[in-house]
Amino acid sequence: MTHSFETGLVVGKFWPPHRGHQLLLETAAAQVAELLVLVYANPDSATMPAAVRAGWLRELYRGDEVAAGLRIGTTPLRIIALSAEEDGVPPDAAEDAVQREFVRGWLHRQGLRVAVVFSSEDYGPGFAAHLGVPHIAVDRARAQVPVSGTAARHNAAPVARYLHPLVAAQLGTVPPAQVPRVVLLGAESSGKSTLCQALAEAYHTAWVPEYGRTLHEQKNGNLEYEDLLYIARRHAELEDEAAAVARGVLFCDTNAATTALYSYYYFHACDPALQAMAAVCGQRYAHMFVCAPTVPFEQDGWRGPEALRSFQHGMVLMQLDHFHISYTLLQGTVAERVAQVRQQLDVELIASSH
């Protein structure tokens, strides 16, 4: 593929990253052979410093294989967090000339050359001119994505629709749902996938398989710690895609809270971003159903021993209680469980439609 420029540059606070930033990065990446992104502010956030914000951006653009590196499409992506202490970032209130010279000097010290600057801000043309390169503006009027980092920092809830689910969770909120989402939880081999599919057929709508299972099989069972956050992020994206075609309700097999449990189970640790995604699950789903581990156990080569089912079931219930999330426990055959869900859900869906 032929690109218009070699290396593109984007600088910003990304505090927090939002869909407007993603539009900026993705538009830039389509026009360059490589994209460099610098993340910084001074004073910086105490709770979500530049290094953390850069980490969220990296997570948004990583794929199934961490070793493959960050990419937007086929364009390699470098995301670097800078700080006042280590890099001499000038105060945000400093004059434009100081800001421009700081970036020029930093690039020179790193031996980096950029061919074009992309921005959505008024400072863009003068900044690019100081670097001696052209400037390309992206949605300067905020017509495509009407949001700003300032608005998100002030109150994330009203602008949550313009935040990726991973980022929204860090701010304690969730994007508004296109349709009510119903999630099925439970231990391994407790019938979640079978029931999800049966419910989708009964309601003539879409359902979302457990992405963690998909990646687990792709990697031949060799998941890494970083994969657990990726699983939660990718599953949330798949839910959003399915919600666009769902009719009335969307059924989801597992959620970020269960992914967090498996992070602790496999690695005895959980990424703070994944913890945040787990914590907002009570807001994300209209209802939670837990499948009792009473169906016959099926060992498909990917699951742990049957003896773990009871422990896993207890952990799911403990987590729901910890987050003060109400749920309905499902028992019996697939048909009986479908009937139990319908008995509960039909009343709620009718009530929510009025």
Side-chain angles (χ1 to χ4, degrees), residues 30-68:
Q31 301 178 61
V32 298
E34 179 187 33
L35 184 61
L36 172 64
V37 181
L38 301 183
V39 182
Y40 61 88
N42 182 12
D44 207 351
S45 169
T47 55
M48 55 177 85
V52 170
R53 303 193 301 273
W56 297 345
L57 284 173
R58 293 187 193 103
E59 183 56 41
L60 294 184
Y61 293 109
R62 66 150 286 194
D64 288 355
E65 297 293 337
V66 178

mmCIF file of all heavy atoms in Angstrom, residues 30-68:
data_model
loop_
_atom_site.group_PDB
_atom_site.id
_atom_site.type_symbol
_atom_site.label_atom_id
_atom_site.label_comp_id
_atom_site.label_asym_id
_atom_site.label_seq_id
_atom_site.Cartn_x
_atom_site.Cartn_y
_atom_site.Cartn_z
ATOM 1 N N ALA A 30 -4.266 6.103 8.230
ATOM 2 C CA ALA A 30 -4.590 5.726 6.855
ATOM 3 C C ALA A 30 -3.726 6.457 5.833
ATOM 4 O O ALA A 30 -3.695 6.077 4.659
ATOM 5 C CB ALA A 30 -6.074 6.011 6.572
ATOM 6 N N GLN A 31 -2.987 7.484 6.273
ATOM 7 C CA GLN A 31 -2.229 8.310 5.333
ATOM 8 C C GLN A 31 -0.723 8.244 5.522
ATOM 9 O O GLN A 31 0.023 8.921 4.806
ATOM 10 C CB GLN A 31 -2.681 9.770 5.462
ATOM 11 C CG GLN A 31 -4.165 9.974 5.183
ATOM 12 C CD GLN A 31 -4.601 11.411 5.361
ATOM 13 O OE1 GLN A 31 -4.108 12.301 4.658
ATOM 14 N NE2 GLN A 31 -5.504 11.655 6.293
ATOM 15 N N VAL A 32 -0.264 7.456 6.500
ATOM 16 C CA VAL A 32 1.172 7.412 6.790
ATOM 17 C C VAL A 32 1.677 5.971 6.853
ATOM 18 O O VAL A 32 0.898 5.031 7.045
ATOM 19 C CB VAL A 32 1.490 8.125 8.122
ATOM 20 C CG1 VAL A 32 1.115 9.592 8.049
ATOM 21 C CG2 VAL A 32 0.774 7.449 9.294
ATOM 22 N N ALA A 33 2.980 5.828 6.706
ATOM 23 C CA ALA A 33 3.599 4.508 6.822
ATOM 24 C C ALA A 33 3.800 4.122 8.280
ATOM 25 O O ALA A 33 3.862 2.942 8.616
ATOM 26 C CB ALA A 33 4.943 4.494 6.083
ATOM 27 N N GLU A 34 3.912 5.130 9.159
ATOM 28 C CA GLU A 34 4.076 4.901 10.597
ATOM 29 C C GLU A 34 3.486 6.095 11.330
ATOM 30 O O GLU A 34 3.581 7.231 10.851
ATOM 31 C CB GLU A 34 5.557 4.749 10.971
ATOM 32 C CG GLU A 34 5.785 4.523 12.453
ATOM 33 C CD GLU A 34 7.267 4.535 12.827
ATOM 34 O OE1 GLU A 34 8.027 5.285 12.182
ATOM 35 O OE2 GLU A 34 7.644 3.802 13.744
ATOM 36 N N LEU A 35 2.871 5.841 12.488
ATOM 37 C CA LEU A 35 2.269 6.929 13.253
ATOM 38 C C LEU A 35 2.875 6.987 14.646
ATOM 39 O O LEU A 35 2.896 5.981 15.367
ATOM 40 C CB LEU A 35 0.756 6.744 13.356
ATOM 41 C CG LEU A 35 -0.020 7.866 14.067
ATOM 42 C CD1 LEU A 35 0.151 9.190 13.325
ATOM 43 C CD2 LEU A 35 -1.501 7.510 14.182
ATOM 44 N N LEU A 36 3.358 8.173 15.012
ATOM 45 C CA LEU A 36 3.919 8.423 16.336
ATOM 46 C C LEU A 36 2.928 9.259 17.128
ATOM 47 O O LEU A 36 2.452 10.301 16.651
ATOM 48 C CB LEU A 36 5.253 9.166 16.202
ATOM 49 C CG LEU A 36 5.902 9.677 17.492
ATOM 50 C CD1 LEU A 36 6.293 8.506 18.402
ATOM 51 C CD2 LEU A 36 7.130 10.532 17.168
ATOM 52 N N VAL A 37 2.611 8.825 18.352
ATOM 53 C CA VAL A 37 1.654 9.509 19.204
ATOM 54 C C VAL A 37 2.335 9.843 20.531
ATOM 55 O O VAL A 37 2.851 8.947 21.212
ATOM 56 C CB VAL A 37 0.405 8.636 19.468
ATOM 57 C CG1 VAL A 37 -0.593 9.385 20.349
ATOM 58 C CG2 VAL A 37 -0.242 8.208 18.156
ATOM 59 N N LEU A 38 2.340 11.126 20.894
ATOM 60 C CA LEU A 38 2.920 11.561 22.160
ATOM 61 C C LEU A 38 1.791 11.970 23.103
ATOM 62 O O LEU A 38 0.922 12.770 22.734
ATOM 63 C CB LEU A 38 3.864 12.746 21.940
ATOM 64 C CG LEU A 38 5.041 12.512 20.984
ATOM 65 C CD1 LEU A 38 5.935 13.750 20.931
ATOM 66 C CD2 LEU A 38 5.847 11.285 21.390
ATOM 67 N N VAL A 39 1.820 11.436 24.312
ATOM 68 C CA VAL A 39 0.777 11.671 25.306
ATOM 69 C C VAL A 39 1.398 12.387 26.496
ATOM 70 O O VAL A 39 2.320 11.860 27.128
ATOM 71 C CB VAL A 39 0.144 10.340 25.768
ATOM 72 C CG1 VAL A 39 -0.981 10.599 26.766
ATOM 73 C CG2 VAL A 39 -0.368 9.546 24.568
ATOM 74 N N TYR A 40 0.896 13.582 26.828
ATOM 75 C CA TYR A 40 1.466 14.293 27.979
ATOM 76 C C TYR A 40 0.575 15.449 28.404
ATOM 77 O O TYR A 40 -0.274 15.928 27.650
ATOM 78 C CB TYR A 40 2.875 14.811 27.671
ATOM 79 C CG TYR A 40 2.981 15.790 26.530
ATOM 80 C CD1 TYR A 40 2.819 17.160 26.730
ATOM 81 C CD2 TYR A 40 3.276 15.346 25.239
ATOM 82 C CE1 TYR A 40 2.939 18.062 25.688
ATOM 83 C CE2 TYR A 40 3.395 16.235 24.186
ATOM 84 C CZ TYR A 40 3.229 17.588 24.414
ATOM 85 O OH TYR A 40 3.341 18.481 23.364
ATOM 86 N N ALA A 41 0.792 15.890 29.630
ATOM 87 C CA ALA A 41 0.137 17.071 30.189
ATOM 88 C C ALA A 41 0.948 17.533 31.386
ATOM 89 O O ALA A 41 1.635 16.739 32.039
ATOM 90 C CB ALA A 41 -1.294 16.750 30.622
ATOM 91 N N ASN A 42 0.871 18.828 31.678
ATOM 92 C CA ASN A 42 1.570 19.377 32.842
ATOM 93 C C ASN A 42 0.795 20.611 33.329
ATOM 94 O O ASN A 42 0.789 21.630 32.646
ATOM 95 C CB ASN A 42 3.004 19.758 32.487
ATOM 96 C CG ASN A 42 3.763 20.293 33.680
ATOM 97 O OD1 ASN A 42 3.317 20.179 34.818
ATOM 98 N ND2 ASN A 42 4.930 20.889 33.436
ATOM 99 N N PRO A 43 0.107 20.508 34.481
ATOM 100 C CA PRO A 43 0.145 19.378 35.409
ATOM 101 C C PRO A 43 -0.632 18.180 34.872
ATOM 102 O O PRO A 43 -1.587 18.343 34.124
ATOM 103 C CB PRO A 43 -0.528 19.944 36.668
ATOM 104 C CG PRO A 43 -1.435 21.020 36.147
ATOM 105 C CD PRO A 43 -0.710 21.639 34.991
ATOM 106 N N ASP A 44 -0.185 17.013 35.285
ATOM 107 C CA ASP A 44 -0.799 15.777 34.821
ATOM 108 C C ASP A 44 -1.831 15.300 35.830
ATOM 109 O O ASP A 44 -1.903 15.793 36.959
ATOM 110 C CB ASP A 44 0.283 14.711 34.627
ATOM 111 C CG ASP A 44 -0.106 13.674 33.583
ATOM 112 O OD1 ASP A 44 -1.269 13.682 33.142
ATOM 113 O OD2 ASP A 44 0.755 12.850 33.223
ATOM 114 N N SER A 45 -2.615 14.334 35.419
ATOM 115 C CA SER A 45 -3.611 13.762 36.309
ATOM 116 C C SER A 45 -2.948 12.870 37.351
ATOM 117 O O SER A 45 -2.045 12.083 37.021
ATOM 118 C CB SER A 45 -4.616 12.932 35.504
ATOM 119 O OG SER A 45 -5.442 12.161 36.350
ATOM 120 N N ALA A 46 -3.402 12.983 38.588
ATOM 121 C CA ALA A 46 -2.861 12.128 39.646
ATOM 122 C C ALA A 46 -3.439 10.728 39.583
ATOM 123 O O ALA A 46 -2.790 9.753 39.968
ATOM 124 C CB ALA A 46 -3.151 12.751 41.013
ATOM 125 N N THR A 47 -4.665 10.608 39.076
ATOM 126 C CA THR A 47 -5.343 9.308 39.062
ATOM 127 C C THR A 47 -5.224 8.589 37.728
ATOM 128 O O THR A 47 -5.321 7.363 37.674
ATOM 129 C CB THR A 47 -6.838 9.481 39.388
ATOM 130 O OG1 THR A 47 -7.411 10.425 38.475
ATOM 131 C CG2 THR A 47 -7.010 9.996 40.812
ATOM 132 N N MET A 48 -5.057 9.347 36.645
ATOM 133 C CA MET A 48 -4.872 8.736 35.330
ATOM 134 C C MET A 48 -3.756 9.470 34.585
ATOM 135 O O MET A 48 -3.996 10.184 33.612
ATOM 136 C CB MET A 48 -6.177 8.750 34.527
ATOM 137 C CG MET A 48 -6.813 10.115 34.363
ATOM 138 S SD MET A 48 -8.328 10.096 33.338
ATOM 139 C CE MET A 48 -9.546 9.677 34.559
ATOM 140 N N PRO A 49 -2.503 9.317 35.050
ATOM 141 C CA PRO A 49 -1.379 10.026 34.438
ATOM 142 C C PRO A 49 -1.155 9.589 32.993
ATOM 143 O O PRO A 49 -1.748 8.618 32.514
ATOM 144 C CB PRO A 49 -0.193 9.651 35.332
ATOM 145 C CG PRO A 49 -0.593 8.358 35.964
ATOM 146 C CD PRO A 49 -2.070 8.445 36.159
ATOM 147 N N ALA A 50 -0.279 10.317 32.323
ATOM 148 C CA ALA A 50 -0.031 10.067 30.898
ATOM 149 C C ALA A 50 0.330 8.616 30.614
ATOM 150 O O ALA A 50 -0.104 8.050 29.609
ATOM 151 C CB ALA A 50 1.079 10.996 30.406
ATOM 152 N N ALA A 51 1.120 8.000 31.492
ATOM 153 C CA ALA A 51 1.518 6.606 31.265
ATOM 154 C C ALA A 51 0.302 5.679 31.259
ATOM 155 O O ALA A 51 0.232 4.731 30.474
ATOM 156 C CB ALA A 51 2.507 6.165 32.337
ATOM 157 N N VAL A 52 -0.666 5.974 32.114
ATOM 158 C CA VAL A 52 -1.890 5.168 32.160
ATOM 159 C C VAL A 52 -2.735 5.421 30.919
ATOM 160 O O VAL A 52 -3.251 4.494 30.290
ATOM 161 C CB VAL A 52 -2.690 5.476 33.444
ATOM 162 C CG1 VAL A 52 -4.073 4.838 33.386
ATOM 163 C CG2 VAL A 52 -1.922 4.985 34.660
ATOM 164 N N ARG A 53 -2.882 6.687 30.534
ATOM 165 C CA ARG A 53 -3.683 7.022 29.359
ATOM 166 C C ARG A 53 -3.067 6.429 28.102
ATOM 167 O O ARG A 53 -3.778 5.934 27.217
ATOM 168 C CB ARG A 53 -3.836 8.539 29.227
ATOM 169 C CG ARG A 53 -4.467 9.195 30.459
ATOM 170 C CD ARG A 53 -4.890 10.611 30.184
ATOM 171 N NE ARG A 53 -3.832 11.508 29.751
ATOM 172 C CZ ARG A 53 -3.028 12.201 30.546
ATOM 173 N NH1 ARG A 53 -3.114 12.067 31.868
ATOM 174 N NH2 ARG A 53 -2.128 13.031 30.052
ATOM 175 N N ALA A 54 -1.743 6.467 28.016
ATOM 176 C CA ALA A 54 -1.068 5.847 26.873
ATOM 177 C C ALA A 54 -1.319 4.337 26.871
ATOM 178 O O ALA A 54 -1.490 3.730 25.809
ATOM 179 C CB ALA A 54 0.435 6.134 26.931
ATOM 180 N N GLY A 55 -1.368 3.751 28.067
ATOM 181 C CA GLY A 55 -1.657 2.319 28.167
ATOM 182 C C GLY A 55 -3.044 1.980 27.658
ATOM 183 O O GLY A 55 -3.246 0.960 27.002
ATOM 184 N N TRP A 56 -4.014 2.844 27.947
ATOM 185 C CA TRP A 56 -5.372 2.607 27.420
ATOM 186 C C TRP A 56 -5.364 2.671 25.903
ATOM 187 O O TRP A 56 -5.988 1.837 25.231
ATOM 188 C CB TRP A 56 -6.344 3.648 27.968
ATOM 189 C CG TRP A 56 -6.527 3.608 29.448
ATOM 190 C CD1 TRP A 56 -6.168 2.595 30.299
ATOM 191 C CD2 TRP A 56 -7.096 4.628 30.271
ATOM 192 N NE1 TRP A 56 -6.479 2.924 31.590
ATOM 193 C CE2 TRP A 56 -7.054 4.164 31.602
ATOM 194 C CE3 TRP A 56 -7.630 5.881 29.999
ATOM 195 C CZ2 TRP A 56 -7.536 4.917 32.664
ATOM 196 C CZ3 TRP A 56 -8.109 6.639 31.052
ATOM 197 C CH2 TRP A 56 -8.068 6.159 32.374
ATOM 198 N N LEU A 57 -4.665 3.656 25.329
ATOM 199 C CA LEU A 57 -4.592 3.758 23.871
ATOM 200 C C LEU A 57 -3.933 2.523 23.271
ATOM 201 O O LEU A 57 -4.385 2.000 22.242
ATOM 202 C CB LEU A 57 -3.804 5.006 23.469
ATOM 203 C CG LEU A 57 -4.522 6.348 23.589
ATOM 204 C CD1 LEU A 57 -3.559 7.489 23.308
ATOM 205 C CD2 LEU A 57 -5.713 6.411 22.630
ATOM 206 N N ARG A 58 -2.868 2.056 23.897
ATOM 207 C CA ARG A 58 -2.214 0.847 23.385
ATOM 208 C C ARG A 58 -3.171 -0.335 23.409
ATOM 209 O O ARG A 58 -3.195 -1.147 22.483
ATOM 210 C CB ARG A 58 -0.963 0.528 24.210
ATOM 211 C CG ARG A 58 0.164 1.536 24.066
ATOM 212 C CD ARG A 58 1.432 1.070 24.762
ATOM 213 N NE ARG A 58 2.389 2.169 24.889
ATOM 214 C CZ ARG A 58 2.619 2.834 26.015
ATOM 215 N NH1 ARG A 58 1.972 2.491 27.139
ATOM 216 N NH2 ARG A 58 3.479 3.817 26.044
ATOM 217 N N GLU A 59 -3.951 -0.420 24.472
ATOM 218 C CA GLU A 59 -4.897 -1.532 24.574
ATOM 219 C C GLU A 59 -5.955 -1.457 23.484
ATOM 220 O O GLU A 59 -6.380 -2.484 22.947
ATOM 221 C CB GLU A 59 -5.563 -1.533 25.956
ATOM 222 C CG GLU A 59 -6.513 -2.700 26.179
ATOM 223 C CD GLU A 59 -5.858 -4.055 25.964
ATOM 224 O OE1 GLU A 59 -4.702 -4.254 26.379
ATOM 225 O OE2 GLU A 59 -6.514 -4.925 25.353
ATOM 226 N N LEU A 60 -6.386 -0.257 23.139
ATOM 227 C CA LEU A 60 -7.410 -0.107 22.109
ATOM 228 C C LEU A 60 -6.922 -0.568 20.747
ATOM 229 O O LEU A 60 -7.729 -0.936 19.879
ATOM 230 C CB LEU A 60 -7.869 1.348 22.015
ATOM 231 C CG LEU A 60 -8.601 1.928 23.225
ATOM 232 C CD1 LEU A 60 -9.073 3.344 22.923
ATOM 233 C CD2 LEU A 60 -9.779 1.060 23.618
ATOM 234 N N TYR A 61 -5.597 -0.563 20.543
ATOM 235 C CA TYR A 61 -5.061 -0.886 19.224
ATOM 236 C C TYR A 61 -4.139 -2.099 19.218
ATOM 237 O O TYR A 61 -3.347 -2.254 18.305
ATOM 238 C CB TYR A 61 -4.359 0.341 18.625
ATOM 239 C CG TYR A 61 -5.342 1.436 18.316
ATOM 240 C CD1 TYR A 61 -5.387 2.606 19.074
ATOM 241 C CD2 TYR A 61 -6.279 1.280 17.298
ATOM 242 C CE1 TYR A 61 -6.324 3.597 18.802
ATOM 243 C CE2 TYR A 61 -7.216 2.262 17.034
ATOM 244 C CZ TYR A 61 -7.237 3.425 17.790
ATOM 245 O OH TYR A 61 -8.168 4.395 17.527
ATOM 246 N N ARG A 62 -4.280 -2.953 20.197
ATOM 247 C CA ARG A 62 -3.547 -4.214 20.138
ATOM 248 C C ARG A 62 -4.468 -5.283 19.565
ATOM 249 O O ARG A 62 -5.692 -5.193 19.652
ATOM 250 C CB ARG A 62 -3.035 -4.652 21.504
ATOM 251 C CG ARG A 62 -4.108 -5.023 22.518
ATOM 252 C CD ARG A 62 -3.629 -6.087 23.512
ATOM 253 N NE ARG A 62 -3.561 -7.409 22.909
ATOM 254 C CZ ARG A 62 -3.433 -8.533 23.595
ATOM 255 N NH1 ARG A 62 -3.327 -8.494 24.903
ATOM 256 N NH2 ARG A 62 -3.389 -9.689 22.981
ATOM 257 N N GLY A 63 -3.871 -6.302 18.958
ATOM 258 C CA GLY A 63 -4.644 -7.396 18.383
ATOM 259 C C GLY A 63 -4.472 -8.668 19.179
ATOM 260 O O GLY A 63 -4.021 -8.656 20.330
ATOM 261 N N ASP A 64 -4.830 -9.785 18.570
ATOM 262 C CA ASP A 64 -4.765 -11.065 19.269
ATOM 263 C C ASP A 64 -3.349 -11.411 19.725
ATOM 264 O O ASP A 64 -3.166 -12.072 20.739
ATOM 265 C CB ASP A 64 -5.288 -12.190 18.364
ATOM 266 C CG ASP A 64 -6.794 -12.110 18.179
ATOM 267 O OD1 ASP A 64 -7.407 -11.249 18.819
ATOM 268 O OD2 ASP A 64 -7.336 -12.905 17.397
ATOM 269 N N GLU A 65 -2.361 -11.001 18.957
ATOM 270 C CA GLU A 65 -0.978 -11.322 19.280
ATOM 271 C C GLU A 65 -0.248 -10.076 19.754
ATOM 272 O O GLU A 65 -0.020 -9.143 18.992
ATOM 273 C CB GLU A 65 -0.257 -11.912 18.061
ATOM 274 C CG GLU A 65 -0.845 -13.233 17.574
ATOM 275 C CD GLU A 65 -0.639 -14.362 18.572
ATOM 276 O OE1 GLU A 65 0.279 -14.269 19.400
ATOM 277 O OE2 GLU A 65 -1.396 -15.340 18.501
ATOM 278 N N VAL A 66 0.135 -10.057 21.029
ATOM 279 C CA VAL A 66 0.854 -8.897 21.576
ATOM 280 C C VAL A 66 2.169 -8.681 20.839
ATOM 281 O O VAL A 66 2.582 -7.552 20.567
ATOM 282 C CB VAL A 66 1.119 -9.098 23.082
ATOM 283 C CG1 VAL A 66 1.911 -7.928 23.641
ATOM 284 C CG2 VAL A 66 -0.192 -9.255 23.832
ATOM 285 N N ALA A 67 2.846 -9.771 20.479
ATOM 286 C CA ALA A 67 4.168 -9.677 19.850
ATOM 287 C C ALA A 67 4.104 -9.006 18.482
ATOM 288 O O ALA A 67 5.100 -8.522 17.970
ATOM 289 C CB ALA A 67 4.785 -11.067 19.721
ATOM 290 N N ALA A 68 2.922 -8.986 17.867
ATOM 291 C CA ALA A 68 2.798 -8.394 16.535
ATOM 292 C C ALA A 68 2.938 -6.875 16.572
ATOM 293 O O ALA A 68 3.123 -6.241 15.540
ATOM 294 C CB ALA A 68 1.459 -8.782 15.921
#
